[in-house]
Amino acid sequence: MVGGGGLLSWLSVLDRKLWRDLWGMKTQALAIAFVIAGGVSVQLLSTGMLNSLQETRRAYYERYLLADIWAPVVRAPQALLSDIRGLDGVQAAETRIRAGALFDMPGMSEPASGEILSLPDIGLPSVNQLYLTRGRTPEVDRSDEVVVLESFATAHELQIGDTVAATIHGRRARLVIVGIGLSPEHVYTIAPGEIVPDDRLFGVMWMGRQALARAVDQDGAFNEAVVRLSHGASQAAVIAELDLLFEPFGAPGAYGRDEQISDVFVSSEIDQLRTMGNVLPPIFLLVAAFLVNIVISRLIAVQRAGIGLLKAFGYRDDEVGWHYMKLVAVIGLAGLLIGGGLGIWLGREMAIMYTQYYRFPFLVFNADPRTYAIVIAVTAAAILGGAAMAVRRAASLNPADAMTQPPPPDYSKAAGMGITRWHRIDQQTRMILRQIIRWPVRAALTVAGVAASGALLIGTMFFIDSMSVMMDGFFNVSNRYDVSVSFVQPRSRAAYHSIERMPGVLAAEPFRAASARLRHGNLEERAALIGSPPDPQLSRMVDAQYRTVSPPPGGLVLSQDLAIKLDVEAGDMLEIHIAEGRRPVLHVAVSAVTTTLIGSGAQMRIGDLNALLGEGDVVSGAYLIVDPDQVDTLYNALKSVPLVAGTGLQALAAQNLDDLMQQNLGTAIWIYTGFAGLIALGVIYNSVRISFAERQRELASLRVLGFTVADVSYILLGEVAFLTLLALPVGAAAGTGMAWYLAQAMSSELFRLPFVISLSTFGLAGALLIGITIGSSLLVRHQIQRLDMVAVLKTGE
Amino acid sequence: MSTPKAPIEPMEGLCFRTRGLTKTYGKGAAEVQALRGVDLELPDGELVVVLGASGSGKSTFLNIIGGLDKATSGEVFFRGRDIGHASRQELTQYRRRNVGFVFQFYNLMPSLTAWENVALVTEIADNPLTPDAALEMVGLKERQSHFPAQMSGGEQQRVAIARAIAKQPSVLLCDEPTGALDSATGTRVLEALKTVNDTLNATTLIITHNAGVAAMADRVVIFADGAVREVKINTNPKNPKDITW
């Protein structure tokens, strides 16, 4: 019986009935509540997380004065700072020194690379401030003191007072850690050219201005200006002014936050959250509304006699209507509470997960009141809307009609009954088919609900397929090297050959990279122009079918994303402004446009590029295949070569990407898969349970006639099994569409999701739905076994 | 019944024999004693009318001999076989092979036509009549492709009878078969039952409130307070047409 008998005595009689009705259908009510909870928590999670991330980013950038514009330059006199500050639209500006460095970390054979940034010798910078979590900034007169980025410190267990051996500008130095901190420039820290962060392999440090200037021969000069804009200033205008100002000093071109690597990743994450938030919660809430509608209208049909009785006693239509509305409201409220709790809990967990990759000083999951208001309003609209029709029908029942036994439903007039007259099928199967044909809308809603959850399953699991194809393409087809080595500056072939001859190197391939601005008409994009051998083996551009696309003599291959941004096609001419060395302007024909899955690129033959640049036969670095037994020897050798500016380790990159997928994507996918499963459970269980309630009499009659529990189960469960089977292809089609949409919507500048769904994804989604159908059926089969034949048959309806 | 372990009682010519049959529902204060020791013998092939007030135990008795319910204590034998101690599966088989039921509220499958409702049973029976023959016997051959919603109450009840007899049951159990019908329709239903009893020689039990129906019976059993008060043998049963009620 119902718990809380004492409590019940406080309720009106009708409310007691409500409470007992609810208790009687508690499993069903819970199943609906869980579907609602799924919608509520997904909505809360996605909008709340989006809100938290955006708000935290805004506050962090604002408080720690993140630059709006970064303007790198080869070497410019410090005196230029007052000119920069005098530019229209510049609110604050700083000059600084940024230098690449190699770190020799104890206990780690792989070479770690990173960069060192200068801090003003006196006072705080007016742009890009540090958030010190421990320690202090370097003293003016100490040239060896540094602040270390917290993620790097944590990865190496570095403490205040520890020392780190570094190679800066080809010189070895011992650096003493005096502080550990975070920076708004490094929310997402990733080595140039890498696709996943590795806190062990890439570090950032901050040194005093004078100390760093001496180390890299920049006394009285700077190699980067960072600028904050005044409110309403035009970024493009200030960038143009800066480019003009820096022109004589060798500047590759200033850029805004939209090209600042950390913020690009954060923005991409925010965009993805927004897309997910636009797609998934509406599906959940729509299905919840469907479910509430089906369940309530069928529940009311089962309760006909009770409604008639209430009205015969003199309860008014609105009282009866309100009574059933309250029943729905209680279920909705339960869904809201479960979903709210679940959403907040998941949000907090997700925020913790985010902080592993996105280093904010704090990231608290915090859905604003507006989010809650939206969630409540949408849920209320969905469930009350879903119930409104059914409740109105109940309220308008004529009491006399409601209390008499309803005539048997008429099967003679339903369209499509003809096919069920086929005499080769047995009567049980005929009953199943007629039940479906007689109530096509009900059947369609069940199919739609199951299909929606199938689509959600496929739409979310698609990410795993897509990402593995992307990874396979990137690591096994496009970039087949083990280690990439880049030089401090372009070097002669001799330098390349010295790398090629290092211990453990099995094969090597040179490359030339030059930073450039690509122009076509008024459109301009910054990109690295890569020169590679005529038939590259270790690093190459491939098309969507994974065929190598090699640049022809004198031609240029462009990745599709760049081609779209620049509005060029194969055959068009590009104007290329090389941003280093003699800074020539080249005119090169685009020979082919190709799809790249990760990153973008512009590639030429190395001979052609060098000829155009006029710097002789030089290389910027090399891709290497390495003997696995000799990697450590090679790493140690590389650490001691002054010309090496950085290294990239593919195996670790692949591992990191895999970890990232497992953790971030994996968790999200399991959450969504779980919710999709909940929807399926809600739809299927309710559908079977209500069918059982409606058809108890028929089923009991069959038992009396000598049909076994299995025979009777076939009639009841055959219907839902049939509908589930029908829903499978519909769900597969809808899931494919959803995956296609998500592949388009979630692709960003950083990567393009290939539209691939593996057979196992379809299989897994199908198996899950079938499993849920079987599970729900077993629950109801238990009820069939306990069916009281006598009680059911002796009474009228 | 096919329970090899069940004791077989010599019951020449008897369809049912019960001894000390009791049935108690509920516990404690809510306890209701529906049967208080029923001893009864019913010969094969007879048409038996069971009379009694509401709560006299007649329906409970019918449910127990029909294999729908189990007695609390006592013995029930069907043609010498103990059905009082049969398992649920054995009772299902017992109902499937031997018993035809007719209820007050027809309990037809609304999604099946008259013919299909009958075929539902013939498909699982061992030696059934054809659905056509069964419908013919209750005079509904021409309505065979109608759904329950398209038939009157009397017609629906006759389909229910056709369904019950199609398996050629040894026993036909009818609980208030005319309870929901007017007298003219009721008479037609009783005629159908009489025809079936004559043609198939199935032992037929009809529970009714209506004492007039007793005139058509070979034997009349009167229940009161959970026990058999009286058994009357009727040597000259009337035709249902001649009964007034």
Side-chain angles (χ1 to χ4, degrees):
Chain A
M1 251 325 281
V2 190
L7 192 72
L8 275 188
S9 59
W10 289 88
L11 298 173
S12 74
V13 179
L14 215 51
D15 286 342
R16 286 185 221 178
K17 170 187 176 306
L18 178 91
W19 182 247
R20 290 185 181 128
D21 282 351
L22 266 172
W23 188 255
M25 54 179 280
K26 53 184 177 299
T27 324
Q28 260 176 285
L30 215 58
I32 303 170
F34 270 118
V35 174
I36 296 170
V40 168
S41 50
V42 172
Q43 172 98 55
L44 202 60
L45 185 65
S46 57
T47 47
M49 203 63 233
L50 181 66
N51 187 54
S52 307
L53 211 53
Q54 272 178 320
E55 193 45 39
T56 305
R57 175 174 72 163
R58 191 198 57 73
Y60 188 29
Y61 285 3
E62 195 115 334
R63 172 76 184 76
Y64 289 89
L65 307 171
L66 180 72
D68 292 302
I69 296 170
W70 286 256
V73 62
V74 175
R75 182 193 166 94
Q78 177 59 15
L80 221 52
L81 178 59
S82 55
D83 294 343
I84 302 169
R85 287 183 172 155
L87 290 175
D88 254 2
V90 171
Q91 184 206 53
E94 289 285 352
T95 60
R96 64 181 184 182
I97 296 162
R98 180 195 279 257
L102 288 178
F103 302 115
D104 189 3
M105 304 310 294
M108 188 175 93
S109 64
E110 303 98 319
S113 61
E115 59 181 12
I116 302 183
L117 295 163
S118 69
L119 284 172
D121 284 326
I122 302 156
L124 294 170
S126 60
V127 180
N128 292 343
Q129 283 189 358
L130 271 182
Y131 175 87
L132 271 182
T133 53
R134 268 175 289 163
R136 56 174 175 84
T137 49
E139 303 273 356
V140 188
D141 51 352
R142 293 293 304 266
S143 62
D144 59 348
E145 289 185 350
V146 288
V147 173
V148 180
L149 187 68
E150 191 183 58
S151 53
F152 190 67
T154 310
H156 293 286
E157 297 175 355
L158 296 174
Q159 303 295 335
I160 305 278
D162 288 354
T163 57
V164 174
T167 308
I168 310 167
H169 213 61
R171 278 171 234 162
R172 303 275 284 182
R174 288 209 79 74
L175 305 172
V176 183
I177 296 167
V178 296
I180 292 172
L182 300 169
S183 142
E185 278 185 287
H186 299 93
V187 172
Y188 193 85
T189 312
I190 190 162
E194 291 294 324
I195 51 173
V196 211
D198 189 322
D199 291 341
R200 281 184 340 127
L201 293 183
F202 188 77
V204 181
M205 294 188 189
W206 287 265
M207 263 176 112
R209 173 72 175 259
Q210 277 184 31
L212 188 59
R214 272 197 299 275
V216 299
D217 302 329
Q218 290 272 8
D219 270 324
F222 66 90
N223 66 6
E224 188 174 55
V226 283
V227 171
R228 273 178 72 82
L229 296 173
S230 34
H231 186 70
S234 153
Q235 176 174 302
V238 176
I239 285 180
E241 295 264 18
L242 280 169
D243 284 350
L244 203 65
L245 193 62
F246 286 1
E247 181 72 40
F249 307 100
Y255 58 91
R257 285 183 190 172
D258 55 332
E259 291 187 52
Q260 202 264 340
I261 195 70
S262 166
D263 193 57
V264 167
F265 273 93
V266 178
S267 299
S268 151
E269 186 66 38
I270 287 175
D271 287 346
Q272 287 178 22
L273 271 177
R274 189 178 293 123
T275 306
M276 289 293 249
N278 286 342
V279 177
L280 295 176
I283 296 182
F284 275 96
L285 289 172
L286 210 64
V287 173
F290 270 169
L291 260 185
V292 169
N293 183 303
I294 305 172
V295 173
I296 297 301
S297 56
R298 295 173 78 172
L299 180 80
I300 287 171
V302 173
Q303 293 213 345
R304 258 172 77 94
I307 294 168
L309 208 60
L310 287 177
K311 298 186 79 173
F313 290 157
Y315 282 98
R316 291 192 313 269
D317 288 3
D318 58 324
E319 285 169 328
V320 173
W322 176 230
H323 173 69
Y324 283 98
M325 250 349 187
K326 274 198 281 193
L327 183 103
V328 181
V330 171
I331 296 175
L333 200 64
L336 213 51
L337 289 176
I338 299 171
L342 204 63
I344 291 170
W345 176 70
L346 285 172
R348 287 187 180 154
E349 292 296 308
M350 206 150 146
I352 292 170
M353 208 170 69
Y354 267 120
T355 51
Q356 292 184 307
Y357 293 95
Y358 299 93
R359 309 294 182 149
F360 291 102
F362 51 86
L363 177 61
V364 182
F365 175 78
N366 188 14
D368 63 349
R370 225 192 59 179
T371 304
Y372 287 108
I374 290 173
V375 167
I376 292 171
V378 171
T379 310
I383 62 164
L384 297 180
M389 270 215 338
V391 169
R392 216 177 25 241
R393 233 182 358 251
S396 61
L397 266 178
N398 176 340
D401 289 347
M403 280 192 299
T404 53
Q405 193 186 350
D410 190 352
Y411 282 78
S412 65
K413 294 197 174 60
M417 261 329 158
I419 55 162
T420 62
R421 295 218 180 238
W422 191 43
H423 63 271
R424 298 288 287 273
I425 48 177
D426 62 30
Q427 308 309 324
Q428 286 119 294
T429 308
R430 206 185 303 285
M431 287 173 73
I432 293 173
L433 293 179
R434 287 198 179 147
Q435 186 78 9
I436 292 168
I437 293 172
R438 177 68 179 74
W439 282 282
V441 175
R442 181 189 290 179
L445 286 178
T446 304
V447 170
V450 179
S453 68
L456 275 178
L457 285 172
I458 291 167
T460 47
M461 289 194 287
F462 144 77
F463 285 105
I464 297 176
D465 294 339
S466 183
M467 292 292 274
S468 21
V469 167
M470 194 165 84
M471 279 178 68
D472 181 54
F474 186 80
F475 289 108
N476 300 331
V477 184
S478 208
N479 298 287
R480 299 192 295 180
Y481 57 87
D482 297 323
V483 176
S484 69
V485 175
S486 47
F487 299 150
V488 177
Q489 285 159 1
R491 294 296 174 116
S492 68
R493 280 272 167 177
Y496 164 67
H497 291 305
S498 72
I499 297 288
E500 198 182 15
R501 282 192 300 269
M502 280 189 155
V505 175
L506 299 178
E509 195 172 278
F511 68 87
R512 174 78 172 97
S515 60
R517 285 195 250 184
L518 313 181
R519 274 192 200 156
H520 181 242
N522 293 327
L523 303 168
E524 182 180 296
E525 285 296 322
R526 285 167 7 112
L529 192 58
I530 303 290
S532 44
D535 181 23
Q537 291 300 312
L538 303 186
S539 174
R540 49 207 189 153
M541 290 178 88
V542 292
D543 64 13
Q545 280 73 45
Y546 290 157
R547 288 176 305 223
T548 309
V549 182
S550 306
L556 171 78
V557 179
L558 208 57
S559 65
Q560 197 179 23
D561 62 310
L562 278 178
I564 291 170
K565 283 189 209 154
L566 291 165
D567 190 26
V568 290
E569 292 172 6
D572 289 350
M573 290 298 287
L574 264 189
E575 192 181 297
I576 302 176
H577 295 247
I578 299 294
E580 51 181 71
R582 296 187 303 113
R583 309 162 57 75
V585 177
L586 319 174
H587 294 271
V588 181
V590 176
S591 55
V593 171
T594 180
T595 317
T596 51
L597 296 177
I598 299 182
S600 45
Q603 204 174 44
M604 296 179 76
R605 291 193 171 188
I606 189 167
D608 291 344
L609 183 59
N610 275 333
L612 288 168
L613 294 175
E615 292 175 11
D617 187 15
V618 294
V619 297
S620 304
Y623 299 116
L624 311 176
I625 296 279
V626 177
D627 178 354
D629 295 333
Q630 294 195 60
V631 276
D632 288 347
T633 323
L634 176 69
Y635 290 160
N636 279 325
L638 282 173
K639 282 184 209 171
S640 57
V641 180
L643 62 87
V644 172
T647 51
L649 311 175
Q650 283 298 86
L652 282 173
Q655 185 56 48
N656 288 335
L657 185 57
D658 200 49
D659 289 349
L660 179 82
M661 274 178 60
Q662 297 285 341
Q663 214 177 1
N664 264 12
L665 201 63
T667 311
I669 283 168
W670 284 118
I671 292 173
Y672 286 122
T673 308
F675 285 150
L678 268 185
I679 290 195
L681 187 70
V683 174
I684 296 172
Y685 177 73
N686 269 298
S687 167
V688 186
R689 187 66 190 77
I690 298 170
S691 271
F692 175 74
E694 287 170 346
R695 302 175 70 184
Q696 267 195 55
R697 201 179 171 75
E698 268 182 69
L699 303 176
S701 303
L702 289 165
R703 291 283 287 129
V704 169
L705 292 176
F707 284 83
T708 60
V709 172
D711 295 331
V712 173
S713 304
Y714 168 66
I715 294 178
L716 183 68
L717 306 178
E719 184 185 334
V720 77
F722 182 82
L723 293 179
T724 302
L725 289 179
L726 215 61
L728 290 180
V730 180
T736 306
M738 196 169 143
W740 183 83
Y741 170 75
L742 288 172
Q744 309 300 314
M746 306 274 277
S747 289
S748 67
E749 264 182 59
L750 302 170
F751 59 86
R752 281 148 295 279
L753 282 175
F755 171 57
V756 206
I757 308 173
S758 70
L759 275 180
S760 68
T761 292
F762 285 117
L764 200 63
L768 212 70
L769 292 183
I770 291 171
I772 288 169
T773 308
I774 292 172
S776 306
S777 301
L778 287 178
L779 282 174
V780 176
R781 191 187 151 102
H782 179 65
Q783 312 247 7
I784 297 177
Q785 264 159 345
R786 297 190 324 188
L787 198 62
D788 186 342
M789 290 175 269
V790 177
V792 173
L793 294 175
K794 286 295 287 180
T795 53
E797 285 290 319
Chain B
M1 278 292 292
S2 55
T3 42
K5 277 180 286 177
I8 296 191
E9 286 239 336
M11 274 175 59
E12 203 57 37
L14 280 188
C15 184
F16 288 108
R17 174 198 280 169
T18 67
R19 279 191 207 132
L21 208 58
T22 72
K23 176 73 186 178
T24 311
Y25 294 106
K27 277 195 177 118
E31 189 177 287
V32 175
Q33 217 172 351
L35 295 181
R36 303 164 184 266
V38 174
D39 300 318
L40 195 63
E41 294 187 343
L42 297 174
D44 259 328
E46 282 193 352
L47 195 149
V48 182
V49 168
V50 183
L51 294 174
S54 281
S56 61
K58 53 190 192 304
S59 285
T60 307
F61 175 73
L62 190 91
N63 292 337
I64 291 171
I65 63 170
L68 294 180
D69 206 351
K70 284 191 155 197
T72 308
S73 67
E75 294 175 331
V76 202
F77 290 92
F78 165 74
R79 293 195 172 156
R81 287 182 173 80
D82 181 4
I83 58 169
H85 298 98
S87 69
R88 292 169 75 97
Q89 284 80 1
E90 288 166 339
L91 286 181
T92 301
Q93 289 306 313
Y94 164 64
R95 293 196 302 272
R96 180 185 280 218
R97 296 202 177 139
N98 303 296
V99 189
F101 283 98
V102 177
F103 290 95
Q104 180 177 0
F105 300 107
Y106 333 129
N107 295 321
L108 296 179
M109 303 297 129
S111 58
L112 297 180
T113 62
W115 189 92
E116 290 159 355
N117 259 288
V118 180
L120 185 66
V121 169
T122 59
E123 280 171 5
I124 61 163
D126 289 337
N127 179 29
L129 301 173
T130 63
D132 300 86
L135 285 168
E136 180 96 65
M137 205 174 285
V138 296
L140 274 181
K141 183 85 174 47
E142 73 286 359
R143 303 282 275 165
Q144 64 172 342
S145 56
H146 286 67
F147 284 97
Q150 299 170 292
M151 292 186 278
S152 70
E155 285 171 332
Q156 288 184 60
Q157 189 62 299
R158 277 147 68 201
V159 175
I161 294 170
R163 183 178 68 180
I165 59 160
K167 67 171 96 159
Q168 305 213 56
S170 328
V171 186
L172 186 59
L173 302 179
C174 315
D175 196 349
E176 300 280 5
T178 59
L181 304 173
D182 61 71
S183 65
T185 318
T187 303
R188 296 208 58 182
V189 167
L190 291 177
E191 277 178 336
L193 287 175
K194 176 77 183 149
T195 312
V196 169
N197 176 247
D198 292 342
T199 321
L200 301 179
N201 201 34
T203 308
T204 306
L205 266 80
I206 302 172
I207 286 188
T208 178
H209 276 99
N210 190 336
V213 177
M216 68 182 275
D218 299 313
R219 185 182 296 255
V220 180
V221 179
I222 299 165
F223 270 76
D225 297 326
V228 175
R229 200 182 65 194
E230 192 183 350
V231 176
K232 288 194 270 195
I233 309 291
N234 187 359
T235 49
N236 186 22
K238 281 189 182 167
N239 193 302
K241 257 192 301 207
D242 306 326
I243 298 174
T244 47
W245 49 310

